[in-house]
Amino acid sequence: PECLRWDYRKDQLLGEIKRFDPDLLCVQECDKYDEWFSPQLSEVGYAGEFKKKANDAPDGAAIFYKKDKFSCVSSTSCQLRGTDAQIGIVMHLAPKSEESGHKHILCGSTHLKATKTAEGEEIRGQQIQYLLERLSEASKALSVPHVVLLAGDFNASPNSPKGYPALAYPCVGQHELGLASAYSSNRGSAVEESAAGEPPFTSFKMRGESHNGGAGGKMMYTIDYIWYSHALLSVQSLLSIPDEETIGPAGLPNLKYPSDHLAVMAEFMVKT
């Protein structure tokens, strides 16, 4: 189908980023970083860092930021477990504005193991715990006021819909970093325009056969999140998530939505 062709998707993906115009962008399963995303986003004011997965796959994780608003103090990456391909990036960004209330940002971007089984969830729990410890170490080493942001494709549900306990999602909320999910923490508030709590789904695919532990057919998961320092930041607005009818029966990607995941986006204000 045309919607799967790279020559079509590349412009649609770029157009979506330009339309949303985020100050900070975390991307997972990022392919063609050097050939497309880095030069194209540089033309519209972004700089970024990319880390390829630790296997033969061409994709990886990336963080982009607006060059007129931030400077990158440091950026490190890590393999989340010694035998796994999944990786994480931790970036320290300094604000270029000296206005009161602007803080340094410690940002993480990650993509956890995909297999939707109890074993896969156990691995995801170990992977995110490892990345949280790297973020915590970096946070403790900073001597300037800062906030922490963590975004990614966790491949993990908030609850246990398939009969095994959720490990990765609660691991983040219980960590000493004091992070809350942007969508879930604003349940029922005026800034949440779609479903209360986490979105009903952030990935909607049609599969003809079993895939990554799924049963095939219609596969709808809530697995993409933005976590933030809730004691230091308040959520001002959230990007609404389209419903199943708006997306259409074929799922994602399609001619309107160029990725098999929906974008999640939050606007924050520093608490005073």
Side-chain angles (χ1 to χ4, degrees):
E2 182 181 2
C3 65
L4 297 180
R5 290 176 47 245
W6 173 244
D7 284 346
Y8 176 82
R9 293 181 65 238
K10 66 178 184 179
D11 292 311
Q12 296 297 105
L13 290 165
L14 184 64
E16 186 168 283
I17 294 170
K18 289 180 177 179
R19 185 169 71 255
F20 293 146
D21 193 32
D23 294 333
L24 187 58
L25 172 68
C26 294
V27 186
Q28 297 77 43
E29 293 186 297
C30 180
D31 195 359
K32 302 186 184 300
Y33 174 86
D34 291 318
E35 304 98 308
W36 181 252
F37 285 106
S38 181
Q40 292 294 322
L41 288 175
S42 178
E43 289 185 4
V44 292
Y46 289 92
E49 295 286 343
F50 169 79
K51 176 63 177 179
K52 181 185 169 299
K53 286 180 181 176
N55 59 12
D56 294 333
D59 64 294
I63 298 177
F64 293 94
Y65 58 93
K66 285 191 173 179
K67 293 180 285 188
D68 64 338
K69 294 191 175 182
F70 302 103
S71 59
C72 179
V73 179
S74 65
S75 178
T76 60
S77 60
C78 58
Q79 192 172 343
L80 297 183
R81 284 199 338 172
T83 59
D84 294 327
Q86 285 76 27
I87 46 84
I89 299 177
V90 176
M91 181 180 287
H92 173 197
L93 294 167
K96 288 193 172 180
S97 172
E98 296 183 356
E99 292 181 19
S100 176
H102 287 225
K103 293 183 181 292
H104 288 237
I105 297 174
L106 195 61
C107 181
S109 176
T110 193
H111 181 199
L112 304 184
K113 190 171 182 66
T115 309
K116 306 298 190 297
T117 62
E119 181 183 5
E121 182 69 7
E122 183 177 353
I123 292 173
R124 284 188 288 274
Q126 294 169 0
Q127 290 177 335
I128 196 60
Q129 181 65 36
Y130 182 83
L131 181 58
L132 289 167
E133 290 306 312
R134 304 291 77 76
L135 277 166
S136 183
E137 290 172 1
S139 178
K140 291 174 182 176
L142 289 185
S143 59
V144 293
H146 64 278
V147 298
V148 177
L149 298 172
L150 172 61
D153 174 0
F154 281 53
N155 274 307
S157 298
N159 44 39
S160 307
K162 298 190 68 173
Y164 53 82
L167 300 175
Y169 182 93
C171 182
V172 185
Q174 296 165 7
H175 196 270
E176 65 178 2
L177 281 168
L179 303 180
S181 171
Y183 281 80
S184 180
S185 64
N186 290 278
R187 179 174 313 197
S189 71
V191 299
E192 174 53 80
E193 297 177 358
S194 56
E198 299 293 355
F201 60 89
T202 60
S203 178
F204 171 15
K205 309 170 190 177
M206 299 299 295
R207 299 289 192 186
E209 57 187 23
S210 180
H211 180 79
N212 281 333
K218 182 164 65 175
M219 303 170 67
M220 304 175 75
Y221 300 113
T222 301
I223 52 179
D224 303 279
Y225 309 102
I226 301 171
W227 298 85
Y228 69 103
S229 300
H230 66 86
L232 301 172
L233 297 171
S234 61
V235 177
Q236 299 301 293
S237 62
L238 296 168
L239 181 66
S240 295
I241 303 297
D243 58 22
E244 183 178 353
E245 182 179 355
T246 301
I247 292 172
L252 302 167
N254 57 40
L255 293 175
K256 184 176 181 181
Y257 299 97
S259 172
D260 61 349
H261 291 245
L262 296 167
V264 291
M265 184 175 177
E267 182 181 12
F268 298 101
M269 178 179 290
V270 176
K271 293 181 179 178
T272 56

